[in-house]
């Protein structure tokens, strides 16, 4: 599994203010995504964006749900597909 350049400065979601402080956050996310694919097959990038999304704090305004980064989910799924742990479904996902 290859870590892309700039993984230490990328935010996993628009709702986050800072990038993760754990240097191994991408490995943890990958393990979590493999587990979720095992439990619920057919989950795609859009589903993972919802799962890993969160409440965006907007100051005095009410909180608003926003999805997580699609680039991170797409990259992890592509890496897992190269490793042979995940394969694409005929119907998408």
């Amino acid at each position: 599994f290859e870590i892309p350049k700039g993984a230490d400065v990328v935010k996993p979601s628009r709702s986050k203010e800072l990038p993760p402080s754990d240097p191994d956050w991408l490995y943890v996310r990958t393990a979590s995504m493999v587990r979720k694919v095992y439990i619920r097959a057919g989950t795609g990038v859009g589903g993972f964006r919802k799962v890993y999304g969160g409440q965006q704090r907007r100051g005095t305004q009410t909180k608003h749900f926003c999805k997580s980064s699609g680039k991170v989910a797409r990259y992890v799924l592509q890496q897992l597909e190269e490793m042979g742990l995940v394969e694409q479904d005929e119907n998408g996902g």
Side-chain angles (χ1 to χ4, degrees), residues 1 3 5 10 40 42 45-46 52 59-60 62 70 74 81 86:
F1 189 82
I3 299 294
K5 289 186 273 181
V10 72
R40 184 175 178 198
V45 174
Y52 294 110
T60 58
T62 58
R74 196 175 315 110
E81 190 174 2
V86 174

Side-chain angles (χ1 to χ4, degrees), residues 42-43 77-78 81 85-93:
T43 306
L77 286 175
Q78 287 171 354
E81 190 174 2
L85 296 174
V86 174
E87 61 184 28
Q88 286 190 357
D89 192 14
E90 302 87 30
N91 301 328

Side-chain angles (χ1 to χ4, degrees), residues 24-42:
D24 295 334
W25 72 272
L26 196 58
Y27 293 119
V28 174
R29 175 67 59 94
T30 303
S32 173
M33 287 177 69
V34 169
R35 180 179 177 274
K36 289 186 184 302
V37 166
Y38 177 74
I39 291 172
R40 184 175 178 198

Side-chain angles (χ1 to χ4, degrees), residues 35-74:
R35 180 179 177 274
K36 289 186 184 302
V37 166
Y38 177 74
I39 291 172
R40 184 175 178 198
T43 306
V45 174
F48 283 120
R49 287 187 71 192
K50 280 189 218 170
V51 168
Y52 294 110
Q55 298 292 329
Q56 183 177 9
R57 295 171 30 186
R58 304 187 300 163
T60 58
Q61 299 170 338
T62 58
K63 294 178 183 176
H64 184 75
F65 180 81
C66 69
K67 296 179 181 179
S68 70
S69 172
K71 168 79 174 176
V72 173
R74 196 175 315 110

